Amino acid sequence: RNLCKRLDGRQTYDFRRIKITFGTDYGCCFVDLGKTRVMAQVSCELVAPKESRPNEGIMFFNIELSPMASPAFEQGRQSELSVKLNRQLERCLRNSKCIDTESLCVVAGEKVWQIRVDVSMLNNDGNLMDAASVAAITALCHFRRPDVGIQGDEVTVYSPEERDPIPLSIYHMPISISFSFFQQGTFLLVDPCEREERVMDGLLMIAMNKHREICSIQSSGGIMLLKEQVMRCSKIAAVKVSEITELISKALLNDRTARKAGGRCGFAESMPQERITALKTDETLMETSDVTERANDIVEKAGAPPQTVPSPLVPAPGVGQVSQGQQNTWGLQEEDEDDDDDDDEQNGKETKMETEHSHTSSHLAGDVVEISDSEEEEVVILTSETSGQAKQVVLVLCRKWNSGVTCSSEQR
């Protein structure tokens, strides 16, 4: 059993790292249990007491499972898990009589203080009950209620500037410790994470104070536990509760000392240190003494750099370059052929017009006759003598591929 390996590398009885911080106001506490993050806020107001207990104050606990903590939590709907956690927290803190409720009475039967503890889950990575119990009891120890004065039937509530707030009277600090069982109780783990909770067979929660007094105990999951298993869990819980209680006392002392010295505390201290976020990456130290040598070695071992690609050519507006430095003809070749055909037709029309004009001129002047229908032409010069005068007759025979142009007898 001692050789059991957990997903996060912990041993069987190891707790995750606990971190306790406080807000700017009294009664605001943040607890980090590994990646599980919980916030507890304590508030108070004057209300009428219960008829069954007219001389005692009222304790109220509320646990909110926010969708920010886990996608499985729904907003505005009280799930079975939230009801279970609420009941367990009430058994741990209210039923254990850890707070002197009679000291919360202002006027018997008329006015008493109602202390409200709101616990919000900011991130869920398993073992919400232990984190909630630590956050709630720490917030109650950190809380200060306003001082009151009574003159006749009039009750006056003084502000913190007029009178110092009064801390609550707390007898002891019960803390919940959770144990998860696997394979019908064969294996036992302390402080289960979220993945371990998914596959566990049963859960045992023991609330205990540093005096080894069990305040509450609850088993869930439907497994049968032996007496020896419960006794072993109680001994482990006593050790863990003693360590956590000492941690809470040190955190309260450090906060009290910082507030008396006028130093920064709560969010004012957290902002420069970037501790506002729920989860942040820890700083990693890097060795930079031999960076230059390593860089030179990498450059020497690397191959020759690739040849520089020449500037791109733009053959036409709106056309990009394809391949390296060569002109792209995509989409332009067909357009060029169409343009050539249009030019050929236009040139043919102009040539025909020139031929007609030349033919008319030959009748008038009798010098040169040009007949042409295409740019591919053969020119034959015929020389003859008529009535002692030499006349040069130019006959242009126009031939196309695999065809010819027949000249009339008059033209011959």
Side-chain angles (χ1 to χ4, degrees):
R1 296 176 182 176
N2 294 332
L3 298 177
C4 179
K5 294 183 180 180
R6 307 177 70 170
L7 295 175
D8 50 8
R10 291 181 291 156
Q11 297 297 326
T12 305
Y13 300 151
D14 288 349
F15 239 82
R16 288 174 291 180
R17 180 173 176 265
I18 301 178
K19 181 180 178 181
I20 301 175
T21 54
F22 299 96
T24 306
D25 299 331
Y26 284 108
C28 182
C29 176
F30 293 86
V31 172
D32 295 280
L33 181 59
K35 292 185 179 181
T36 299
R37 185 172 174 86
V38 176
M39 182 190 73
Q41 177 67 56
V42 182
S43 59
C44 65
E45 63 175 339
L46 287 174
V47 297
K50 296 181 180 180
E51 296 181 358
S52 58
R53 297 180 178 180
N55 298 328
E56 296 182 4
I58 301 174
M59 296 293 300
F60 180 78
F61 297 92
N62 177 48
I63 293 182
E64 180 183 358
L65 302 180
S66 172
M68 179 176 58
S70 173
F73 301 153
E74 297 183 9
Q75 181 70 30
R77 180 178 179 182
Q78 198 171 21
S79 62
E80 182 180 354
L81 178 60
S82 63
V83 175
K84 174 184 175 181
L85 294 176
N86 261 304
R87 292 177 180 176
Q88 181 65 15
L89 190 62
E90 289 178 356
R91 294 193 191 101
C92 179
L93 299 179
R94 184 173 63 187
N95 297 350
S96 63
K97 304 293 183 182
C98 65
I99 299 177
D100 184 11
T101 55
E102 293 183 357
S103 63
L104 301 176
C105 179
V106 178
V107 179
E110 295 183 5
K111 294 290 184 180
V112 296
W113 286 107
Q114 174 179 287
I115 306 299
R116 179 186 176 95
V117 182
D118 291 290
V119 180
S120 300
M121 305 299 174
L122 303 181
N123 191 62
N124 177 28
D125 192 36
N127 202 5
L128 293 175
M129 185 60 216
D130 292 7
S133 65
V134 173
I137 192 62
T138 307
L140 288 170
C141 295
H142 188 254
F143 178 69
R144 303 289 187 271
R145 67 171 178 83
D147 193 7
V148 295
I150 302 175
Q151 294 180 357
D153 296 336
E154 183 179 355
V155 178
T156 304
V157 179
Y158 297 98
S159 62
E161 292 78 13
E162 296 174 346
R163 290 187 182 181
D164 293 336
I166 301 174
L168 301 178
S169 178
I170 299 177
Y171 296 135
H172 58 90
M173 291 188 292
I175 298 172
S176 175
I177 305 296
S178 298
F179 302 88
S180 59
F181 295 91
F182 301 86
Q183 296 184 3
Q184 298 300 320
T186 305
F187 296 97
L188 167 66
L189 298 180
V190 179
D191 181 26
C193 65
E194 193 265 341
R195 291 185 178 180
E196 293 170 347
E197 288 182 348
R198 291 185 180 181
V199 297
M200 66 182 180
D201 296 332
L203 182 67
L204 178 66
M205 292 183 289
I206 300 177
M208 184 183 295
N209 56 23
K210 66 178 181 179
H211 306 295
R212 294 176 178 269
E213 298 173 349
I214 296 179
C215 302
S216 67
I217 182 170
Q218 180 178 352
S219 176
S220 60
I223 63 172
M224 301 296 295
L225 297 178
L226 300 176
K227 175 183 176 181
E228 290 78 11
Q229 292 176 319
V230 178
M231 292 301 296
R232 184 178 57 164
C233 292
S234 63
K235 292 179 181 180
I236 298 173
V239 177
K240 300 300 180 183
V241 166
S242 178
E243 297 175 356
I244 296 175
T245 303
E246 184 179 358
L247 177 63
I248 294 174
S249 301
K250 289 183 179 179
L252 292 171
L253 179 60
N254 294 337
D255 182 78
R256 192 181 307 114
T257 304
R259 291 178 186 271
K260 286 184 179 180
R264 292 184 174 183
C265 57
F267 291 114
E269 180 188 7
S270 301
M271 289 178 63
Q273 301 178 6
E274 298 180 355
R275 293 191 325 204
I276 296 297
T277 54
L279 301 175
K280 71 181 185 68
T281 305
D282 297 333
E283 295 181 359
T284 304
L285 299 179
M286 298 181 61
E287 182 64 31
T288 59
S289 58
D290 58 344
V291 173
T292 304
E293 299 177 359
R294 295 179 61 185
N296 294 333
D297 295 341
I298 295 174
V299 172
E300 292 177 358
K301 295 179 181 179
Q307 297 180 357
T308 306
V309 179
S311 301
L313 301 177
V314 182
V319 179
Q321 173 184 345
V322 178
S323 76
Q324 298 182 353
Q326 299 179 0
Q327 187 174 1
N328 176 29
T329 59
W330 283 9
L332 296 178
Q333 186 173 2
E334 298 179 359
E335 295 180 0
D336 294 341
E337 294 178 357
D338 296 341
D339 294 341
D340 294 340
D341 296 341
D342 296 340
D343 294 341
D344 293 343
E345 294 179 359
Q346 186 174 2
N347 293 333
K349 293 180 180 180
E350 294 177 356
T351 304
K352 182 179 288 187
M353 293 176 62
E354 292 178 358
T355 303
E356 294 177 356
H357 179 71
S358 300
H359 184 65
T360 306
S361 301
S362 64
H363 282 288
L364 296 176
D367 295 334
V368 180
V369 178
E370 296 181 1
I371 301 175
S372 177
D373 273 341
S374 172
E375 60 183 2
E376 296 179 359
E377 55 191 14
E378 295 181 1
V379 179
V380 179
I381 301 177
L382 301 179
T383 305
S384 59
E385 295 180 356
T386 306
S387 65
Q389 295 182 355
K391 292 184 180 180
Q392 183 178 359
V393 179
V394 179
L395 177 64
V396 180
L397 301 178
C398 301
R399 296 181 179 177
K400 297 183 181 179
W401 297 102
N402 300 325
S403 61
V405 178
T406 304
C407 299
S408 59
S409 57
E410 183 180 357
Q411 292 176 343
R412 293 175 181 176

